[in-house]
Amino acid sequence: MKKRFLLMLGMIVLVSMIIVGCSGEEATTDDPANDDGTETTDTTTGSGGKLAEVMDRGHLIMGSNNTLPGFGYLNSAGEEEGFDVELGQVMATAIFGDKDAIEYRPLSAQERFTAVQSGEVDVLIRNTTWTLTRDVEVGLAFGPTTFYDGQGMMVPADSGFTTLEDLQGARIGVEQGTTTELNLTDQMRARGVDFEPVLFADRDSLIAAYESGTVDAWTTDQSGLVASYEVLADPSEHVIMDVVLSKEPLGPAVLDGDTRFFEVMYWSIMATIQAEEFGMTSENVDDFLDSEDPDIQRFLGVEPGNGAQLGLEEDFAYQIIKQVGNYGEIFDRNIGAESPFNLERGLNALYTDGGILYSPPFR
């Protein structure tokens, strides 16, 4: 009898403990929800992180290229200018409300990834291709693709070269530490074409060697080949072959592991695309402030919420468009219709205009 009583008493205590434990778990694991019933997820990295570091410093440090006309180069006044430069200004504007709150650190192809990994730069916006290895092994987190490019080949106009097979036995110049090295080797091997790759530390020395005849051809992204016409002594003596060796999705990147800073990079760039979708430009953005469209109100910060979620001012998107412009303005000014290069938008047009650019909703 005594044993049965003790056994029953133990079972009662055990059941009581389970009930109390379950009640406590329910009380502490309720998921917070927004007013619309959707779950709220905390994606911050704490009160510190890269965003706080940048804000405390008072300016953004961007890894750049200052030798690629159209994308990143020094103008006659010694100032950084170009498509990638303005994308850096977009991010600076989002964080500080000031497009000039940015410092540019010119980096070679070999230096760029180490500079991000070591924290020397906050963001890399330097004609850099998004690949699996760079995403995983190098430890970068790539933002939106800002320029869909492809690798091409430049040859002398009187060379007679029209196909890759014509380059049998040729010396081909390529910049060291870039995806173009591997792409070139893969494409030539697939075609059974023997060639001699000649590696150069930077773009300037590569172009100089090509013009002097040290190499028979040179390869890089097609946008880079087009940009080189600005520095060639006689552009009419050179042609870009009608071949595409690879896909080259170019875009900004930050060090992986800091979700909040990545989100700031991502959504600040997306703001330029969304603005173009709205038909919003640096010239007319003020006209949209009185819009009754809730999507536009949220985008411009008239209806608060977006900025607070990112740790930014509510009008961060408005400031981006007002100070820098939408994606189309940035493109045309630097590499498109208003530039010496006059590049077609192609894949880099909005999805409504035959391209593939598309912004997720700002809500």
Side-chain angles (χ1 to χ4, degrees), residues 273-295:
I273 298 173
Q274 180 62 72
E276 187 176 9
E277 290 184 41
F278 281 142
M280 194 180 293
T281 70
S282 57
E283 296 295 326
N284 69 14
V285 63
D286 287 334
D287 298 337
F288 286 82
L289 291 172
D290 295 326
S291 172
E292 296 183 1
D293 185 331
D295 288 334

Side-chain angles (χ1 to χ4, degrees), residues 68-73 81-87 127 145-149 203 221-230 250 326-349 357:
L68 183 59
F71 286 84
Y73 66 105
E81 188 175 300
F83 180 79
D84 286 344
V85 171
E86 292 197 22
L87 293 179
N127 55 295
T145 295
T146 52
F147 190 85
Y148 289 91
D149 207 348
R203 181 175 176 274
D221 296 343
Q222 289 180 318
S223 59
L225 294 176
V226 172
S228 72
Y229 281 122
E230 284 291 292
L250 310 180
N326 69 29
Y327 179 91
E329 289 180 279
I330 296 170
F331 187 101
D332 286 344
R333 210 163 32 229
N334 293 287
I335 53 179
E338 299 173 14
S339 76
F341 312 107
N342 196 28
L343 288 182
E344 297 289 338
R345 289 284 294 270
L347 293 178
N348 299 295
L357 294 190

Side-chain angles (χ1 to χ4, degrees), residues 40-362:
T40 300
T41 303
D42 183 7
T43 58
T44 64
T45 57
S47 58
K50 177 60 76 171
L51 181 59
E53 176 188 330
V54 172
M55 286 181 164
D56 289 344
R57 184 194 307 130
H59 66 274
L60 180 72
I61 302 177
M62 168 185 149
S64 66
N65 187 343
N66 65 359
T67 63
L68 183 59
F71 286 84
Y73 66 105
L74 293 177
N75 61 24
S76 58
E79 301 167 334
E80 299 269 358
E81 188 175 300
F83 180 79
D84 286 344
V85 171
E86 292 197 22
L87 293 179
Q89 293 172 357
V90 163
M91 195 169 172
T93 306
I95 298 172
F96 298 105
D98 179 4
K99 72 181 183 67
D100 295 321
I102 185 170
E103 175 187 343
Y104 306 102
R105 294 272 179 91
L107 301 169
S108 69
Q110 294 80 22
E111 296 168 335
R112 55 185 167 172
F113 300 137
T114 303
V116 179
Q117 293 167 333
S118 67
E120 177 187 346
V121 300
D122 305 315
V123 60
L124 178 68
I125 311 181
R126 186 206 174 282
N127 55 295
T128 299
T129 303
W130 183 3
T131 71
L132 184 148
T133 298
R134 292 171 176 179
D135 204 15
V136 179
E137 290 189 10
V138 178
L140 300 182
F142 281 85
T145 295
T146 52
F147 190 85
Y148 289 91
D149 207 348
Q151 185 174 333
M153 185 80 68
M154 179 175 281
V155 296
D158 61 359
S159 65
F161 298 141
T162 59
T163 69
L164 293 180
E165 287 77 7
D166 293 336
L167 293 170
Q168 176 74 33
R171 288 166 54 84
I172 302 177
V174 59
E175 190 174 350
Q176 191 173 14
T178 64
T179 56
T180 54
E181 279 188 77
L182 178 60
N183 295 336
L184 176 63
T185 300
D186 286 348
Q187 290 296 326
M188 300 302 252
R189 180 184 297 154
R191 290 169 169 78
V193 178
D194 292 326
F195 73 103
E196 181 183 349
V198 184
L199 304 183
F200 294 87
D202 57 69
R203 181 175 176 274
D204 288 344
S205 58
L206 169 54
I207 294 176
Y210 167 71
E211 284 203 281
S212 70
T214 302
V215 295
D216 303 304
W218 72 288
T219 181
T220 190
D221 296 343
Q222 289 180 318
S223 59
L225 294 176
V226 172
S228 72
Y229 281 122
E230 284 291 292
V231 297
L232 291 170
D234 186 352
S236 66
E237 294 183 353
H238 310 277
V239 295
I240 299 173
M241 295 173 64
D242 188 19
V243 295
V244 179
L245 283 72
S246 68
K247 296 183 293 184
E248 301 293 329
L250 310 180
V254 296
L255 189 64
D256 197 11
D258 191 322
T259 305
R260 176 49 46 82
F261 195 62
F262 171 84
E263 290 168 341
V264 168
M265 171 188 68
Y266 183 92
W267 287 102
S268 60
I269 298 297
M270 278 300 174
T272 67
I273 298 173
Q274 180 62 72
E276 187 176 9
E277 290 184 41
F278 281 142
M280 194 180 293
T281 70
S282 57
E283 296 295 326
N284 69 14
V285 63
D286 287 334
D287 298 337
F288 286 82
L289 291 172
D290 295 326
S291 172
E292 296 183 1
D293 185 331
D295 288 334
I296 291 176
Q297 290 179 342
R298 281 191 291 267
F299 178 73
L300 293 177
V302 175
E303 180 180 320
N306 286 343
Q309 293 185 75
L310 292 169
L312 305 175
E313 296 294 332
E314 293 295 350
D315 68 343
F316 78 94
Y318 166 83
Q319 294 295 340
I320 288 172
I321 308 311
K322 184 68 175 178
Q323 296 187 39
V324 187
N326 69 29
Y327 179 91
E329 289 180 279
I330 296 170
F331 187 101
D332 286 344
R333 210 163 32 229
N334 293 287
I335 53 179
E338 299 173 14
S339 76
F341 312 107
N342 196 28
L343 288 182
E344 297 289 338
R345 289 284 294 270
L347 293 178
N348 299 295
L350 296 179
Y351 74 104
T352 51
D353 296 327
I356 57 177
L357 294 190
Y358 182 102
S359 172
F362 273 71

